[in-house]
Amino acid sequence: AQTVTQSQPEMSVQEAETVTLSCTYDTSESNYYLFWYKQPPSRQMILVIRQEAYKQQNATENRFSVNFQKAAKSFSLKISDSQLGDTAMYFCALWDDYKLSFGAGTTVTVRA
Amino acid sequence: EAQVTQNPRYLITVTGKKLTVTCSQNMNHEYMSWYRQDPGLGLRQIYYSMNVEVTDKGDVPEGYKVSRKEKRNFPLILESPSPNQTSLYFCASSLELQGYEQFFGPGTRLTVL
């Protein structure tokens, strides 16, 4: 069964604007990790941001930040000041029980 | 340069012809894994290895084999490929088991006719 759900197949955003990608997950573990990976047209998988479940503080990496709602099992990604180079597919991923499970992905297109 | 390499990058083959996709990492990572990526399904884990001679099934292991005889190498073997194994395959490695960033290889595009 799918344990990571990304409900937005595609999103479009104007350059310099902000876009938020949603992700919900399901796990019975108390200790787990969440990730957002970016896959540009080159197909390379690139880590965007990592969140440890036991840390309440939301992770931030430059223009990328997350809203981690543990009780709701929600892990959204906000991209601020969007740039053309942010155009890519974004995957939410959950690490628990020695495995990494991915969502289906959200394609983000940044318009000039 | 720290990296995960995969070979070949592209492969077109026919049903039933055994093939191996190699994966190698130079970071002395303990954990290695194989994924397949299909449209609308994201990446799904095929097999993973926690160390030399220690492997376990992921979510979609049917039709695949792996081995981990050396720490740096983790080949994926398709004994009798079928068209439903046409996919984009990624190898990945991470320093330890739990929660560390996985470093991905460049991917292998496999087409089985």
Side-chain angles (χ1 to χ4, degrees):
Chain A
Q2 187 85 23
T3 57
V4 180
T5 303
Q6 295 179 248
S7 58
Q8 306 149 313
E10 296 181 0
M11 297 194 75
S12 180
V13 61
Q14 193 72 31
E15 196 174 10
E17 297 294 309
T18 295
V19 63
T20 300
L21 283 58
S22 65
C23 172
T24 58
Y25 61 92
D26 188 29
T27 179
S28 57
E29 300 289 328
S30 58
N31 186 27
Y32 56 91
Y33 300 80
L34 293 159
F35 304 84
W36 279 98
Y37 279 90
K38 170 184 177 181
Q39 187 180 47
S42 67
R43 302 187 326 207
Q44 182 66 45
M45 294 290 288
I46 303 164
L47 177 68
V48 175
I49 204 161
R50 173 179 177 267
Q51 175 80 42
E52 299 170 41
Y54 62 86
K55 287 188 176 180
Q56 293 187 343
Q57 185 174 4
N58 290 325
T60 299
E61 287 288 340
N62 300 314
R63 298 182 293 106
F64 298 88
S65 61
V66 297
N67 183 5
F68 174 46
Q69 301 290 327
K70 191 171 183 177
K73 295 184 178 178
S74 171
F75 185 60
S76 62
L77 175 70
K78 184 170 78 172
I79 307 174
S80 303
D81 186 24
S82 297
Q83 300 176 359
L84 296 178
D86 295 333
T87 292
M89 179 166 281
Y90 289 80
F91 292 99
C92 179
L94 164 70
W95 179 291
D96 69 345
D97 196 25
Y98 306 118
K99 296 193 296 185
L100 192 61
S101 300
F102 287 83
T106 297
T107 299
V108 173
T109 302
V110 180
R111 307 185 309 273
Chain B
E1 179 190 357
Q3 61 182 348
V4 178
T5 57
Q6 293 179 229
N7 283 292
R9 295 288 308 279
Y10 301 89
L11 179 61
I12 300 174
T13 189
V14 295
T15 298
K17 186 176 181 181
K18 181 179 179 180
L19 67 92
T20 299
V21 184
T22 65
C23 173
S24 183
Q25 51 92 5
N26 62 1
M27 296 170 280
N28 201 36
H29 284 172
E30 292 188 356
Y31 184 96
M32 297 186 75
S33 185
W34 276 103
Y35 300 87
R36 60 176 290 173
Q37 181 180 359
D38 301 289
L41 297 176
L43 282 79
R44 294 177 292 168
Q45 192 172 46
I46 303 171
Y47 270 96
Y48 64 94
S49 170
M50 293 185 279
N51 214 324
V52 176
E53 303 291 1
V54 181
T55 63
D56 206 349
K57 296 178 181 178
D59 295 320
V60 288
E62 294 78 18
Y64 304 94
K65 286 176 58 177
V66 294
S67 67
R68 186 95 181 271
K69 299 187 185 306
E70 303 168 282
K71 197 171 187 177
R72 64 183 292 127
N73 296 323
F74 190 45
L76 179 69
I77 303 158
L78 285 72
E79 294 270 4
S80 182
S82 62
N84 65 12
Q85 292 178 299
T86 291
S87 188
L88 177 61
Y89 291 87
F90 286 98
C91 179
S93 72
S94 65
L95 182 61
E96 292 183 16
L97 290 176
Q98 187 71 346
Y100 283 81
E101 173 187 359
Q102 292 214 12
F103 292 84
F104 284 81
T108 295
R109 172 70 70 183
L110 172 65
T111 301
V112 184
L113 303 175

